[in-house]
Amino acid sequence: MSARKVRILIAKPGLDGHDRGAKVVARALRDAGYEVIYTGLRQTPEMIVEAALQEDVDAIGLSLLSGAHLTIFPRVAALMKEQGLDDVMLFGGGIIPEDDAPALKQAGVANVFGPGTSTQDIITFVEQEMARRK
Amino acid sequence: MELTERILKADRRALARAISLVENDGEQAQKLLQEVYPHAGQAHIIGITGPPGSGKSTLVSQIARQYRQQGRTVGIVAVDPSSPFTGGALLGDRVRMRDLAGDRGVFVRSMASRGSMGGLARATGDAVTLLDAAGFDLVLIETVGAGQVEVDIAREAHTTLVVEVPGLGDEVQAIKAGLMEIADVFVVNKADHAGVDQTVRALTIMLDMNSAACSWTPPVIKTIALHGEGVADLIEAVDDHWAYLVRENALQDQQRIHAQNRLTRVMRRRLFDELLAKIGPERFEETVMQVATHKIDPYSAAARLMNSKTQGS
Amino acid sequence: MFDKEKLAELRKRHEKWVDGTLQKSLERAPERADEFITVSSTPVRRLYTPLDVADLDYPEDLGLPGEYPFTRGVHPTMYRSRLWTMRMFAGFGTAEETNARFKYLLEHGETGLSTAFDLPTLYGYDSDAPEAEGEFGVCGVAISSLRDMEVLLDGLPLDRITTSMTINSPAAVIWAMYIVAAEKRGIPRAKLGGTIQNDILKEYIAQKEFIFPPEPSMRLVVDTIEFGTQEMPRWNTISISGYHIREAGSTAAQELAFTLSDGFEYVRWAIDRGLDVDAFAPRLSFFFNAHNDFFEEIGKYRAARRIWAREMRETFGAKNPRSWWMRFHSQTAGVSLTAQQPENNIARVAIQALAAVLGGTQSLHTNSMDEALALPSETAARIALRTQQIIALETGVTNTVDPLAGSFFVEAETDRMEAESREYFHRIADLGGVLPAIEQGFFQLEIADAASRYQWEIDQKKRIVVGVNEYSGEEKIGIPILKMDQQGYDRQVARLREIRRTRDHRAVSARLSDLRQAAAGDANLMPFLIEAVREYATLQEIMDVLREVWGEYREPVIV
Ligand SMILES: Nc1nc2c(ncn2[C@@H]2O[C@H](COP(=O)(O)OP(=O)(O)OP(=O)(O)O)[C@@H](O)[C@H]2O)c(=O)[nH]1
Ligand SMILES: [Mg+2]
């Protein structure tokens, strides 16, 4: 009853309108028992981080298919630091070439999921990270 | 507590953390509330309830914007349902409040109902206390909107807005049974849809029939939340209601009733928790099974459990 | 089509077969699954016989190719006369880079151009706008002014090729740029051929690249339809698209039903404008997805033609047979591509493309194997084009018209598609039509449900994706990935600043204020847009004027 509930923000930054992945992941996380805050399309990094702060989330998941991940993901990570959200886990998904993953991880993104990832993999990852960070 | 200090200075991160604490309950939360509570009691608390998709979130966003233009700060708690099966929740009200992003005079918090019925979460009242203590001039609460009559909101809010949409027609009579008592202002949103005037008329007639008892007759306001139309009128009605509460000394009565409710709820919960701890979860579970299989009736079972003094059997 | 007595006989025989032959076989060799489903999660029966299409009326339901109801194709000879147009979607970075890619594709036998624009362009922002940060040239080419368009089209034979442009909210502005760029080279607008996608309804439903609220957006679309009807007889002013609806996760039937509903909505609006249905309907074109489920897809295309013809004739009273034609472009399913073992995508694309061809497509884009990873590289794009050429020239499927007609299964799928679509038409009508249904989030929720179900089936292994949840290995990616020219952005911004500095400022503001006035009234905006772009008003300047007058749309959230 008083167990700590894990809260996750699922956000869709950038201009592209492909919210299929974000919605599928949001629903899957809900079905796995998480409280998911969904913020809708075209969120700026500032909006995302401010929402994460107000909602006191444990993790932020970004979905981006436009290819602007190298600009946007690190920007979110930097703003998180600025706001003191160091303990919040950041992960992302979309069309992200494997070559870009190291740079994103360097910037503070815990993991990136490409097309064809099963939602179970994402859930398992979130579970492990949450357990590790306790 | 350091956290308390920061909340009173309206530190957003501290406030966010504190809301999680009260949501998750526990000793720390009690201590926090103990410290914060004396500082609350300043905000005008406004509840917004109505059927799913009636435009509650859109309205909340518009109301907040209008108050912001007057320079007043706004805290928002938006409640959505938790899944009874998995405990998970998909909280989507923020999407409609996008226009408020970037305004530091606004704080939005989504909340899952976590098994509570009646349209609010158990900790909604505590979250409102925190926002209140942090100095927000107004606190808006959006209820779940699960379809059933959500009267709990009236126990937390000074002013309760009941949102309807056109096209209810004959159903109005049936549905409104419980809402009639709690509404301080009726909003007929989506006034751009056909049938607004019928809905307004139906509500007005019913209000006329009910109005004898009290001195405040809920106004019926038409809005198109999508475009902000009618929101100025709505704000005026809300402010009128507040003025009425103050003028008629009704505020004190209301606060007494709210306090009584809250105290009763807390005591009930504590009594139950203490009792459960004494009985032990296994024994409780066992008895549940006996009731479920009709080996014993719930009344005798309760009597037996409540008489037991020690844990185990 | 079938003799009643013979059917009755068959029914008896079928029953016997079930109890006898089948039963025995199942005992020995049970089936691999309890249920076999299509990509759209619809069950497929073990066997199809005349019993499944007993009501089929050949002349009514199928007819002959080139004749009503066009189930078998819009042309009597189909690919025996002319192959489909092999049109490869291309665009990235600056106009120079995309122009070079266009020339490369034309040299390799492509027969029509297809332009992808970057996201800032699709949202009506100039390349140097803050909103455009990180998005420049990533998903397509950046076009911020007439100058960019001139560079994009440089040296291309605009009077001989047709150009398709995938753009929606700002479609009218980009079209205006195309028209002016051609006219400046001495090619009159009446000679220009091509397509603008211009399908705003599916933006609200699926792709979400909308700017304005639905009503003014629809007015702008009708402005283009009207203008095209009067001045540009070779131009398709709209490509009513199911592609993105499907990519967003819909089923095949939803793709079909929602797209057709959108089509009917445009027809209604254009008729309300006072246009003669037979004047504009022949220029309406469609765009469908070619997904994995071979027979379901073929059924979808065939049903699409039949429903469109019937509705145009019966409901909208069109008399010109060309108004009854459903002509469509198709593209293989981007969502079906896997990042894992990307070479496998070549096989997927080939089979999807084959379905589009057997469904009678008028033009086709085949995806490149690397598109789940990045923008297509030149090699990958060439293989994709070669795939079409192999289908066209080596397989023999083009030798006869609609070769799968009469297959019990294909006809049953075609019927199912029509029935499911009609069911949706009723539901949409009950909600008050397409716009109210959008506002209530009806389409969005239907699609999100289907998408979740699809993913769930994959996660549960009820659906196998080779290389992903079966036969997966840690193979490394063996294909080269396109990297963009890093200096492109700087060049683009420099060009934009140069234009803003050197153009006739008075003329620009005069044209923009004319536009503002026209937008607030109800004149056709095309002439105003043409005059504004001619003076090098930028895309964003123009779109900002419209934003100011019409406001911006926020979607109903449906998760
Ligand atoms: N036509 C019209 N649509 C409106 C109006 N107000 C809100 N909407 C739309 O109604 C839909 C639901 O609005 P919300 O604000 O999310 O409604 P809600 O009551 O908060 O919904 P839940 O939280 O899901 O119960 C959205 O698509 C809004 O855009 C209005 O005045 N007119
Ligand atoms: Mg809401």
Side-chain angles (χ1 to χ4, degrees):
Chain A
M1 210 188 308
S2 60
R4 169 108 179 77
K5 269 274 172 200
V6 175
R7 292 164 65 85
I8 303 176
L9 184 81
I10 295 294
K12 183 76 212 55
L15 289 177
D16 76 282
H18 302 109
D19 53 6
R20 173 184 185 151
K23 285 180 175 177
V24 167
V25 169
R27 286 171 164 215
L29 287 169
R30 173 199 59 192
D31 295 341
Y34 294 100
E35 290 185 356
V36 180
I37 295 114
Y38 184 74
T39 58
L41 294 170
R42 300 189 208 171
Q43 299 282 305
T44 64
E46 286 76 10
M47 289 160 97
I48 292 167
V49 174
E50 179 62 22
L53 184 149
Q54 293 179 6
E55 299 289 355
D56 190 33
V57 294
D58 304 281
I60 303 176
L62 303 176
S63 167
L64 186 69
L65 282 89
S66 74
H69 48 272
L70 285 179
T71 313
I72 290 176
F73 286 12
R75 176 109 187 89
V76 171
L79 283 168
M80 285 167 67
K81 264 208 192 83
E82 218 171 89
Q83 295 288 334
L85 304 183
D86 304 282
D87 50 350
V88 176
M89 195 257 291
L90 178 66
F91 65 103
I95 300 191
I96 295 165
E98 211 160 286
D99 292 0
D100 292 347
L104 293 175
K105 287 189 177 160
Q106 184 71 32
V109 183
N111 208 347
V112 287
F113 298 96
T117 309
S118 86
T119 52
Q120 192 50 54
D121 290 349
I122 297 175
I123 291 164
T124 307
F125 171 76
V126 170
E127 265 165 15
Q128 282 167 355
E129 281 295 299
M130 289 301 119
R132 202 172 62 78
R133 282 162 193 249
K134 255 200 187 124
Chain B
M1 244 212 261
E2 186 219 340
L3 194 56
T4 307
E5 297 292 308
R6 288 171 57 200
I7 291 167
L8 297 180
K9 286 195 199 114
D11 175 322
R12 305 160 78 74
R13 182 127 169 83
L15 185 56
R17 271 286 144 86
I19 298 177
S20 300
L21 277 180
V22 299
E23 269 198 294
N24 295 322
D25 216 355
E27 262 171 52
Q28 221 189 333
Q30 272 181 33
K31 180 128 186 304
L32 178 68
L33 284 167
Q34 177 193 340
E35 290 177 8
V36 166
Y37 198 79
H39 301 273
Q42 308 300 315
H44 180 185
I45 300 164
I46 303 166
I48 294 99
T49 188
S54 52
K56 296 182 293 296
S57 302
T58 315
L59 265 176
V60 164
S61 176
Q62 293 284 0
I63 294 171
R65 271 175 61 173
Q66 294 257 346
Y67 277 122
R68 288 298 296 137
Q69 277 165 18
Q70 300 175 9
R72 303 174 71 189
T73 54
V74 185
I76 297 171
V77 181
V79 190
D80 270 328
S82 298
S83 156
F85 305 108
T86 65
L90 198 42
L91 313 174
D93 292 319
R94 275 194 98 86
V95 179
R96 307 242 67 88
M97 303 183 189
R98 200 190 134 98
D99 288 341
L100 305 173
D103 180 349
R104 303 194 49 95
V106 179
F107 189 99
V108 183
R109 181 59 176 246
S110 315
M111 221 173 195
S113 66
R114 298 193 182 174
S116 289
M117 297 307 188
L120 299 179
R122 178 197 51 75
T124 302
D126 295 337
V128 170
T129 298
L130 291 168
L131 288 164
D132 184 344
F136 287 95
D137 298 325
L138 297 123
V139 180
L140 310 183
I141 309 171
E142 177 185 340
T143 72
V144 167
Q148 81 271 39
V149 176
E150 294 173 345
V151 292
D152 281 8
I153 184 66
R155 298 193 199 132
E156 303 288 349
H158 298 117
T159 305
T160 301
L161 313 187
V162 174
V163 185
E164 289 299 344
V165 287
L168 287 174
D170 298 338
E171 294 167 46
V172 167
Q173 307 274 350
I175 295 175
K176 293 300 133 354
L179 290 179
M180 221 58 202
E181 285 86 62
I182 65 159
D184 298 310
V185 179
F186 269 108
V187 186
V188 180
N189 188 39
K190 306 201 182 182
D192 50 332
H193 286 182
V196 216
D197 293 325
Q198 286 98 297
T199 306
V200 170
R201 200 160 44 235
L203 283 170
T204 314
I205 292 172
M206 253 195 327
L207 286 166
D208 286 346
M209 297 190 314
N210 281 283
S211 67
C214 37
S215 46
W216 171 262
T217 309
V220 181
I221 312 279
K222 284 194 275 191
T223 59
I224 304 175
L226 210 50
H227 307 136
E229 272 170 54
V231 178
D233 296 343
L234 176 58
I235 298 285
E236 208 179 296
V238 170
D239 290 343
D240 281 351
H241 182 252
W242 179 254
Y244 155 82
L245 289 177
V246 175
R247 190 174 63 234
E248 306 286 316
N249 282 331
L251 200 57
Q252 279 154 12
D253 288 349
Q254 200 189 44
Q255 270 160 352
R256 204 192 60 77
I257 297 169
H258 287 186
Q260 184 185 335
N261 270 320
R262 204 157 166 188
L263 187 58
T264 313
R265 261 198 331 270
V266 173
M267 285 172 63
R268 219 180 252 150
R269 225 167 66 88
R270 284 199 65 154
L271 272 175
F272 178 79
D273 287 351
E274 275 169 23
L275 206 61
L276 190 64
K278 262 192 220 150
I279 296 163
E282 293 91 27
R283 173 123 191 267
F284 182 73
E285 210 30 63
E286 256 166 46
T287 317
V288 167
M289 279 316 292
Q290 285 170 348
V291 177
T293 52
H294 291 258
K295 295 213 168 72
I296 183 170
D297 70 285
Y299 295 95
S300 317
R304 212 160 71 190
L305 285 178
M306 291 170 74
N307 285 332
S308 68
K309 290 277 183 282
T310 51
Q311 201 173 334
S313 48
Chain C
M1 208 162 90
F2 302 98
D3 182 81
K4 283 236 157 51
E5 269 171 39
K6 291 231 163 105
L7 277 179
E9 213 172 281
L10 176 60
R11 183 162 292 116
K12 279 206 202 96
R13 188 151 163 210
H14 185 262
E15 278 161 19
K16 253 180 72 192
W17 175 81
V18 168
D19 296 336
T21 315
L22 175 66
Q23 201 48 47
K24 264 195 233 117
S25 160
L26 285 177
E27 278 157 22
R28 262 182 291 116
E31 293 183 333
R32 286 180 294 113
D34 295 340
E35 195 182 43
F36 291 79
I37 55 172
T38 69
V39 161
S40 306
S41 312
T42 306
V44 175
R45 288 196 283 278
R46 175 179 301 112
L47 179 75
Y48 289 76
T49 68
L51 296 172
D52 296 286
V53 287
D55 295 333
L56 197 69
D57 178 330
Y58 187 90
E60 279 278 311
D61 297 329
L62 301 181
L64 293 165
E67 289 183 7
Y68 188 86
F70 302 100
T71 312
R72 305 204 56 187
V74 290
H75 302 298
T77 55
M78 286 305 287
Y79 307 128
R80 287 170 66 105
S81 296
R82 204 174 138 250
L83 292 170
W84 62 90
T85 307
M86 300 181 189
R87 200 188 284 282
M88 302 296 285
F89 195 42
F92 56 95
T94 58
E96 285 91 349
E97 288 164 277
T98 303
N99 176 267
R101 173 63 72 90
F102 280 165
K103 288 176 177 162
Y104 174 91
L105 287 168
L106 288 174
E107 272 162 32
H108 282 79
E110 191 185 59
T111 49
L113 296 178
S114 176
T115 320
F117 295 91
D118 73 355
L119 282 163
T121 307
L122 294 173
Y123 282 105
Y125 295 120
D126 290 345
S127 297
D128 57 354
E131 288 86 352
E133 198 190 338
E135 311 267 19
F136 164 78
V138 181
C139 289
V141 61
I143 300 292
S144 300
S145 77
L146 174 60
R147 179 62 45 79
D148 295 338
M149 185 62 90
E150 290 165 351
V151 173
L152 179 72
L153 302 178
D154 183 55
L156 301 174
L158 300 184
D159 45 352
R160 281 186 285 118
I161 52 162
T162 59
T163 308
S164 158
M165 295 190 280
T166 299
I167 188 142
N168 295 280
S169 289
V173 187
I174 295 293
W175 192 31
M177 289 180 186
Y178 191 92
I179 293 167
V180 176
E183 283 181 356
K184 287 180 100 173
R185 278 172 42 190
I187 307 166
R189 56 179 79 151
K191 283 193 111 174
L192 298 175
T195 307
I196 41 176
Q197 192 164 77
N198 204 22
D199 172 14
I200 199 65
L201 291 173
K202 65 97 173 49
E203 296 297 335
Y204 301 110
I205 292 175
Q207 168 132 308
K208 316 287 169 76
E209 286 159 6
F210 43 72
I211 299 176
F212 315 119
E215 280 83 7
S217 294
M218 285 297 281
R219 172 245 175 125
L220 194 53
V221 171
V222 181
D223 282 355
T224 58
I225 293 177
E226 186 177 36
F227 184 82
T229 306
Q230 288 159 0
E231 310 222 6
M232 302 187 57
R234 296 186 57 220
W235 201 280
N236 300 315
T237 40
I238 192 165
S239 167
I240 305 157
S241 307
Y243 184 80
H244 318 83
I245 293 174
R246 192 67 182 278
E247 290 288 294
S250 83
T251 64
Q254 288 168 349
E255 177 194 357
L256 178 60
F258 299 172
T259 308
L260 288 168
S261 298
D262 290 350
F264 301 141
E265 190 68 15
Y266 293 118
V267 171
R268 251 174 243 124
W269 278 66
I271 290 175
D272 285 350
R273 176 72 65 92
L275 302 180
D276 170 16
V277 65
D278 284 320
F280 70 82
R283 298 314 302 170
L284 302 177
S285 64
F286 287 82
F287 174 20
F288 288 110
N289 202 300
H291 214 296
N292 280 337
D293 202 293
F294 195 68
F295 295 106
E296 185 174 58
E297 292 299 271
I298 295 169
K300 178 182 77 183
Y301 305 122
R302 298 173 85 246
R305 275 193 298 271
R306 183 159 79 198
I307 301 172
W308 184 252
R310 284 179 170 164
E311 292 299 311
M312 289 308 285
R313 191 167 94 169
E314 306 305 330
T315 307
F316 296 103
K319 303 216 164 42
N320 179 354
R322 289 197 156 230
S323 305
W324 306 336
W325 286 11
M326 150 148 326
R327 296 168 303 131
F328 66 91
H329 171 68
S330 39
Q331 177 174 339
T332 56
V335 286
S336 74
L337 301 180
T338 62
Q340 297 89 332
Q341 307 177 15
E343 294 88 342
N344 297 349
N345 292 326
I346 298 176
R348 290 192 179 95
V349 166
I351 294 164
Q352 294 165 359
L354 183 60
V357 168
L358 290 172
T361 195
Q362 274 58 59
S363 66
L364 178 61
H365 167 97
T366 33
N367 286 329
S368 302
M369 61 172 156
D370 50 0
E371 280 179 55
L373 302 160
L375 283 172
S377 66
E378 233 161 54
T379 311
R382 194 182 56 237
I383 293 173
L385 176 60
R386 294 283 180 258
T387 305
Q388 294 197 37
Q389 292 159 343
I390 291 168
I391 292 173
L393 305 168
E394 294 187 11
T395 63
V397 298
T398 52
N399 292 345
T400 185
V401 175
D402 189 25
L404 293 182
S407 146
F408 309 122
F409 181 38
V410 168
E411 296 302 351
E413 284 291 273
T414 306
D415 288 348
R416 171 172 74 85
M417 283 291 147
E418 176 160 5
E420 287 187 27
S421 292
R422 292 195 179 277
E423 175 77 36
Y424 269 119
F425 297 161
H426 289 304
R427 288 174 68 186
I428 294 163
D430 286 346
L431 294 171
V434 174
L435 294 195
I438 285 172
E439 201 182 89
Q440 291 161 52
F442 171 73
F443 302 107
Q444 299 91 314
L445 198 58
E446 287 286 307
I447 294 170
D449 285 346
S452 287
R453 169 159 189 169
Y454 184 82
Q455 183 62 45
W456 177 81
E457 287 165 356
I458 291 175
D459 290 352
Q460 300 293 313
K461 281 210 181 185
K462 288 185 189 305
R463 183 179 296 291
I464 297 303
V465 182
V466 172
V468 173
N469 63 357
E470 198 73 271
Y471 315 112
S472 55
E474 282 294 308
E475 287 126 286
K476 272 275 148 240
I477 298 159
I479 53 179
I481 287 178
L482 181 82
K483 283 268 184 285
M484 284 223 299
D485 173 6
Q486 293 301 323
Q487 268 80 60
Y489 180 72
D490 299 337
R491 270 190 283 128
Q492 170 73 359
V493 172
R495 178 155 66 215
L496 199 47
R497 304 234 156 107
E498 161 83 17
I499 283 162
R500 291 206 191 99
R501 215 177 47 242
T502 56
R503 62 190 180 177
D504 179 347
H505 296 289
R506 296 251 301 276
V508 172
S509 32
R511 295 299 86 81
L512 290 178
S513 90
D514 293 348
L515 175 67
R516 182 173 296 113
Q517 253 181 13
D522 54 15
N524 190 312
L525 292 188
M526 275 314 293
F528 295 91
L529 294 172
I530 288 175
E531 292 319 311
V533 304
R534 200 191 297 285
E535 296 298 340
Y536 292 92
T538 68
L539 174 66
Q540 180 163 2
E541 287 166 340
I542 293 172
M543 294 304 281
D544 280 349
V545 165
L546 300 179
R547 281 188 186 98
E548 202 184 297
V549 182
W550 292 338
E552 291 186 66
Y553 182 69
R554 202 62 49 76
E555 75 157 344
V557 59
I558 305 293
V559 273

